[in-house]
Amino acid sequence: MKNGSVFVHLIVWVLGFFSVISLVEGEDPYKFFTWTATYGTIAPLGVPQQVILINGQFPGPRLDVVTNDNLIINVINKLDEPFLLTWNGIKQRKNSWQDGVLGTNCPIPPNSNYTYKIQPKDQIGTYTYFPSTAMHRAAGGFGGFNVYARSVIPVPYPTPASDFTLLIGDWYKTNHKVLQQTLESGKALHFPDSLLINGQTHSSFSGDQGKTYMFRISNVGLSTSISFKIQGHKMKLVECEGSHTVQNVYESLDLHVGQSLSVLVTLDQPPKEYCIVAYTPFTKPILNTTAVLRYTNSQTSASGPLPIDPKYQIQSSMEQARTFRRNLTANAARPNPQGSFHYGSIKTSRTIVLSNSAPLLNGKQRYAVNRASYFNPDTPLKLADYFNISGVFRTDTIQSQPADGPVFLATSVLRTALHEFLEIVFQNNENEVQSWHLDGYDIWVVGYGGSRWTPTQRKTYNLNDAVARHTVQVYPNSWTSILMSLDNQGMWNIRSANWARQYLGQQFYLQVWSEQKSLANEYDIPTNSILCGKARGRKI
């Protein structure tokens, strides 16, 4: 009997052990969404205009998810044009199939749908989504995408009382199809009409005196850098596009097109209303818009003057950018210090210098990088690569260094090898701020400088605690340097976040390639993929 009892206890222990293992190794949670894109009429600037709604909302629904959640998002297109959404800053690990840009996905036809399967793998932070097709971004369809930490991973600040998402951007009264026709005719877009915060010229946020709140701020505009401040309050920067930052305190912060960050604000002032101000510090004229921060026990309305600085201060903005540093003592989305990857001690495999330009081609305005002005083929590059379809793109059109010569149209793809470690320099020889976005990656922003970049500028690089982000600004007649570890196989878009420039050619694709076909490197084509162009009718 005694031996039998021991045997029973052993069986119970073994079953219990494997039950725990199955829970530990259980699949990450699934969240399901159905989104319908339609047209609607609103009047954010007092003039009725057609916009793109997601589930009847402008801006679209806010996505609040947890690190590693599996997101199943069924997008139904009820517009009169093909449509796609892209997920700005979500790295799509081994899965450029879900990136939602025309180089990787066929657009969703009218009265049809596509189901995205997305996992924000090992990411925490403030992100956005928006339409990547045509000039739909000028009509709305964008929204906040907030990825929260799992409960077992501590963040390096006390839990705020609540958080607010602020989507700020320039806005046109003009219909997006008219804006697109303007670009197609070879003309540049006119200056934006206004700025909006969460799709409005007047919005409000409220909180209790003495409590601390997180403000998640994103620049969702088409072309214009903004500066953001809250009257009478300081902002503590705690996160920048997925990186926990050194917690510096600022009175105002610059956000360039496509960028996001999170700040903590303590309501430590007398209880009343205060102005939240966004304005365009680098434009003439200056656009501005306001919202209201209201203390719940307030008895006094907000008063001016508006706390804006009308000076054109590129140098101070660059100095501020250099103060964005990564918090090396904080956990990331996994329980290991963010600084454990010593990017500054790795030898680069090659240097790529990318120079933007705004040429006329056959008398029409185009935009280019290293002389190549991109155009979208009918067949997505990713499908052409998968099905081995020739004639869609070439990997020898765009060069890795600027060169003199005429601008040309090309479906530009730059081939790189999986696990290369690149130095990329963005060289801006124009008189306006540029904003560059890289899909599929976080990149270490190691240096900013004026004039032309030379190898001697490497002496100024931050090789210790540079912030990692997905969108980086390049100041007028200046350069910005990044380091990039190519650990995510796929076809990835590198583009101007200024949408008119992107639309007229200031973009290309980075093919991160390996001869070895392995699910360890890259997931297979989704079975629900839409096939178009030369891939139409192929078997998956």
Side-chain angles (χ1 to χ4, degrees):
M1 291 294 293
K2 184 176 181 180
N3 289 340
S5 177
V6 170
F7 181 76
V8 169
H9 279 86
L10 179 62
I11 292 295
V12 170
W13 182 88
V14 170
L15 290 175
F17 175 81
F18 281 105
S19 296
V20 170
I21 291 296
S22 66
L23 288 173
V24 170
E25 296 185 350
E27 194 168 9
D28 292 304
Y30 278 75
K31 294 184 177 179
F32 297 86
F33 306 86
T34 298
W35 287 0
T36 302
T38 60
Y39 288 125
T41 300
I42 62 171
L45 300 181
V47 178
Q49 64 181 118
Q50 184 188 68
V51 299
I52 294 175
L53 309 175
I54 305 293
N55 285 1
Q57 300 178 42
F58 172 80
R62 192 176 89 177
L63 271 177
D64 287 335
V65 304
V66 175
T67 301
N68 293 359
D69 280 352
N70 292 285
L71 312 180
I72 311 300
I73 306 174
N74 181 27
V75 177
I76 302 169
N77 178 18
K78 290 295 184 180
L79 307 180
D80 57 358
E81 299 178 295
F83 181 76
L84 274 177
L85 289 174
T86 191
W87 317 92
N88 203 46
I90 303 302
K91 289 187 284 188
Q92 310 289 4
R93 295 291 305 167
K94 303 189 295 183
N95 202 15
S96 62
W97 300 108
Q98 306 293 348
D99 202 24
V101 291
L102 290 174
T104 57
N105 295 82
C106 296
I108 307 167
N111 297 311
S112 187
N113 75 297
Y114 176 72
T115 301
Y116 293 87
K117 299 176 182 178
I118 299 170
Q119 185 182 35
K121 182 71 173 173
D122 296 330
Q123 291 188 258
I124 299 172
T126 300
Y127 307 97
T128 59
Y129 63 86
F130 63 83
S132 64
T133 37
M135 287 297 289
H136 292 147
R137 183 169 171 177
F142 52 77
F145 192 145
N146 301 327
V147 184
Y148 294 85
R150 289 174 290 168
S151 59
V152 296
I153 306 297
V155 293
Y157 47 82
T159 302
S162 185
D163 61 40
F164 307 115
T165 293
L166 284 76
L167 305 174
I168 309 175
D170 51 25
W171 187 256
Y172 288 85
K173 297 177 184 177
T174 309
N175 182 276
H176 72 279
K177 292 183 180 180
V178 175
L179 295 177
Q180 184 173 327
Q181 290 167 1
T182 299
L183 294 174
E184 294 286 357
S185 71
K187 300 176 183 177
L189 298 184
H190 64 79
F191 192 67
D193 294 302
S194 185
L195 294 181
L196 300 180
I197 298 178
N198 290 349
Q200 304 175 60
T201 54
H202 302 286
S203 54
S204 64
F205 306 87
S206 62
D208 298 331
Q209 187 179 28
K211 292 184 179 180
T212 298
Y213 295 84
M214 175 174 282
F215 286 73
R216 298 175 177 270
I217 313 160
S218 298
N219 185 334
V220 296
L222 292 182
S223 63
T224 314
S225 300
I226 62 169
S227 193
F228 175 87
K229 63 189 343 180
I230 302 175
Q231 188 178 31
H233 292 74
K234 299 292 181 67
M235 299 179 290
K236 181 184 289 186
L237 182 67
V238 294
E239 180 262 335
C240 175
E241 294 167 19
S243 292
H244 293 314
T245 61
V246 173
Q247 295 178 12
N248 296 323
V249 175
Y250 300 87
E251 290 188 356
S252 68
L253 283 163
D254 293 341
L255 280 91
H256 306 276
V257 182
Q259 294 184 340
S260 300
L261 51 78
S262 300
V263 298
L264 294 180
V265 178
T266 299
L267 304 195
D268 55 3
Q269 298 299 306
K272 62 176 187 177
E273 295 180 354
Y274 295 87
C275 287
I276 297 172
V277 184
Y279 62 99
T280 58
F282 311 134
T283 65
K284 298 178 181 179
I286 291 176
L287 300 174
N288 70 80
T289 191
T290 61
V292 171
L293 173 59
R294 177 180 295 112
Y295 283 52
T296 51
N297 56 342
S298 169
Q299 301 296 322
T300 307
S301 299
S303 60
L306 301 181
I308 68 171
D309 185 350
K311 296 180 181 178
Y312 186 88
Q313 296 180 337
I314 291 294
Q315 188 59 41
S316 62
S317 182
M318 187 184 295
E319 290 171 1
Q320 182 185 91
R322 292 189 180 116
T323 67
F324 288 15
R325 300 295 181 111
R326 194 161 185 163
N327 184 346
L328 300 183
T329 64
N331 285 330
R334 290 178 291 177
N336 64 291
Q338 292 189 115
S340 61
F341 187 86
H342 298 292
Y343 70 92
S345 61
I346 299 174
K347 184 178 180 180
T348 55
S349 54
R350 59 170 155 162
T351 297
I352 297 171
V353 180
L354 302 173
S355 179
N356 50 270
S357 59
L360 294 179
L361 191 62
N362 299 322
K364 293 185 175 183
Q365 180 69 65
R366 293 289 301 185
Y367 298 99
V369 53
N370 287 6
R371 296 173 49 218
S373 186
Y374 186 90
F375 70 90
N376 283 302
D378 293 335
T379 308
L381 315 180
K382 188 65 183 167
L383 292 179
D385 185 43
Y386 179 81
F387 289 115
N388 197 26
I389 301 171
S390 61
V392 175
F393 68 89
R394 290 166 50 184
T395 59
D396 60 354
T397 50
I398 187 170
Q399 302 302 308
S400 59
Q401 301 289 324
D404 294 331
V407 171
F408 55 90
L409 295 175
T411 302
S412 318
V413 176
L414 186 63
R415 175 175 283 188
T416 57
L418 184 64
H419 302 308
E420 277 195 83
F421 193 77
L422 299 183
E423 176 187 39
I424 298 180
V425 180
F426 295 102
Q427 178 68 54
N428 178 16
N429 298 323
E430 299 183 62
N431 292 321
E432 62 182 65
V433 179
Q434 303 290 318
S435 190
W436 283 93
H437 172 82
L438 291 83
D439 279 350
Y441 284 92
D442 285 336
I443 43 96
W444 289 276
V445 186
V446 294
Y448 302 91
S451 191
R452 289 184 179 270
W453 179 86
T454 65
T456 60
Q457 304 291 347
R458 293 180 180 131
K459 297 177 182 178
T460 69
Y461 285 3
N462 175 6
L463 299 179
N464 181 46
D465 60 354
V467 70
R469 62 189 315 170
H470 56 70
T471 303
V472 64
Q473 72 273 22
V474 194
Y475 294 100
N477 299 298
S478 299
W479 56 268
T480 298
S481 287
I482 66 170
L483 297 178
M484 182 177 181
S485 177
L486 300 187
D487 60 356
N488 195 11
Q489 186 169 311
M491 189 76 72
W492 303 108
N493 192 213
I494 298 181
R495 61 177 178 266
S496 173
N498 177 320
W499 210 245
R501 298 183 76 101
Q502 177 274 155
Y503 185 80
L504 290 183
Q506 192 173 312
Q507 62 168 308
F508 66 97
Y509 281 80
L510 192 72
Q511 184 185 33
V512 182
W513 186 79
S514 172
E515 289 186 358
Q516 182 181 359
K517 302 297 182 183
S518 168
L519 293 179
N521 292 338
E522 185 174 18
Y523 298 144
D524 208 348
I525 184 172
T527 56
N528 67 326
S529 291
I530 300 172
L531 302 182
C532 57
K534 295 181 179 179
R536 192 184 307 274
R538 304 270 180 148
K539 290 185 178 181
I540 297 176

